[in-house]
Amino acid sequence: AQSVAQPEDQVNVAEGNPLTVKCTYSVSGNPYLFWYVQYPNRGLQFLLKYITGDNLVKGSYGFEAEFNKSQTSFHLKKPSALVSDSALYFCAVRDIPSGTDKLIFGTGTRLQVFP
Amino acid sequence: SAVISQKPSRDICQRGTSLTIQCQVDSQVTMMFWYRQQPGQSLTLIATANQGSEATYESGFVIDKFPISRPNLTFSTLTVSNMSPEDSSIYLCSGDDRGNTEAFFGQGTRLTVV
């Protein structure tokens, strides 16, 4: 079965420092991977996706993610964190083999950026 | 990308009553999904809303409790029936064109049952 894991419940980083939010995946076939962000009292917003091609994917708000097939990882990164990046981040994979195409979400990682 | 308008944004309801949540998409989408989310937690898929046919429910969710309609490719409703305090949660809808496209989400409905 398709799955993603986010091993960290919370990540703390100082403003201006680089940040990494980790995600590993387990899939049959080619992975369709996504990152979403959720600000307080809001729905999920799409950040970026990996479908095929370049392993380094650039997305919204200066975020990027690196697809690593050998390590089955898709970590979210940003070179310089902002306080406004503080939010809940979800990694997701699309369940292609089941034929449903539904998204399977990780447990989420709360990012806290301190001034 | 498409935009989903979800309403109500929040509600406080008496136990035993029902609440219907609506989602309107500004363009046609292949699929619509309904999720439940406890604050700060991950999303749990309730069902896939199928246009013109009965919704497909995930394990642990049943039609009598969460009836869903999807009369066309831009609109869906979720009803939370005979509510109890355990139904207090955030409910989210999403639109999705499958495959390599990204899903997009409504703003969510924060439901409190008292």
Side-chain angles (χ1 to χ4, degrees), chain B residues 14-29:
Chain B
Q14 297 290 323
R15 66 177 69 198
T17 62
S18 298
L19 176 71
T20 295
I21 303 167
Q22 299 181 1
C23 278
Q24 177 73 56
V25 191
D26 66 352
S27 60
Q28 293 185 349
V29 289

Side-chain angles (χ1 to χ4, degrees), chain A residues 63-115:
Chain A
F63 284 93
E64 57 190 29
E66 186 170 9
F67 173 71
N68 188 316
K69 189 172 183 177
S70 62
Q71 297 185 3
T72 62
S73 67
F74 188 55
H75 300 333
L76 182 70
K77 300 182 179 185
K78 188 173 183 180
S80 178
L82 299 172
V83 172
S84 57
D85 292 329
S86 299
L88 190 55
Y89 290 80
F90 291 101
C91 181
V93 64
R94 198 175 278 292
D95 190 2
I96 303 289
S98 72
T100 66
D101 266 31
K102 61 187 178 184
L103 284 175
I104 298 170
F105 287 89
T107 50
T109 299
R110 183 166 300 283
L111 174 66
Q112 194 75 45
V113 182
F114 295 95

Side-chain angles (χ1 to χ4, degrees), chain A residues 32 34 36 38 41-46 49 51 88 90 94 96 99-103 105-108 110, chain B residues 10 31 33 35 37 40-43 45 58 92 96-108 110:
Chain A
Y32 287 13
F34 303 82
Y36 287 86
Q38 186 177 35
N41 302 311
R42 305 291 296 276
L44 275 68
Q45 296 179 33
F46 169 73
K49 63 184 177 184
I51 304 300
L88 190 55
F90 291 101
R94 198 175 278 292
I96 303 289
T100 66
D101 266 31
K102 61 187 178 184
L103 284 175
F105 287 89
T107 50
R110 183 166 300 283
Chain B
R10 59 178 61 228
M31 305 175 74
F33 297 94
Y35 296 87
Q37 182 188 27
Q41 303 297 315
S42 189
L43 281 71
L45 182 62
E58 298 297 304
L92 291 155
D96 197 331
D97 278 325
R98 307 184 68 161
N100 61 4
T101 63
E102 59 272 18
F104 48 94
F105 288 79
Q107 297 287 70
R110 183 179 289 266

